[in-house]
Amino acid sequence: MPQPRFTTEQLEELNILCLYNLDTTQEGIKVHSSAAPEAIAAAARLYAKGLVTQADGGYMTPLGREAAQHAQDLLGLLDPADLTT
């Protein structure tokens, strides 16, 4: 059985979710047309999945907020600067 792993697309989506400010629901993001093609595509996929309100970012939906919280928590857990010895 193959080992589960994040796909490149999922990692790009996680990176977009980590850009959101979880301290407020009144702040969104905009992935500009001049951004990396991978970021533009990731934002569009998040929109298609119902996690954000616009294909270029926008605001988080309730499900998107939950996903962003998990993504940012995971990033914090995996950040080497946060590890103690």
Side-chain angles (χ1 to χ4, degrees):
M1 178 175 200
Q3 283 292 91
R5 59 178 51 187
F6 289 111
T7 66
T8 301
E9 288 88 10
Q10 290 169 329
L11 290 172
E12 291 160 355
E13 292 168 13
L14 289 168
N15 284 330
I16 296 293
L17 290 171
C18 286
L19 296 175
Y20 280 93
N21 180 355
L22 295 174
D23 292 333
T24 180
T25 59
Q26 301 299 310
E27 186 178 321
I29 67 165
K30 170 130 176 101
V31 179
H32 291 274
S33 60
S34 60
E38 298 83 12
I40 295 169
R45 288 192 303 274
L46 291 173
Y47 174 69
K49 293 175 182 179
L51 299 178
V52 297
T53 61
Q54 300 290 322
D56 63 355
Y59 297 96
M60 293 178 286
T61 64
L63 182 60
R65 184 167 179 75
E66 182 179 346
Q69 181 68 59
H70 288 300
Q72 292 181 28
D73 287 347
L74 179 61
L75 182 61
L77 289 169
L78 298 177
D79 186 350
D82 292 340
L83 296 177
T84 58
T85 55

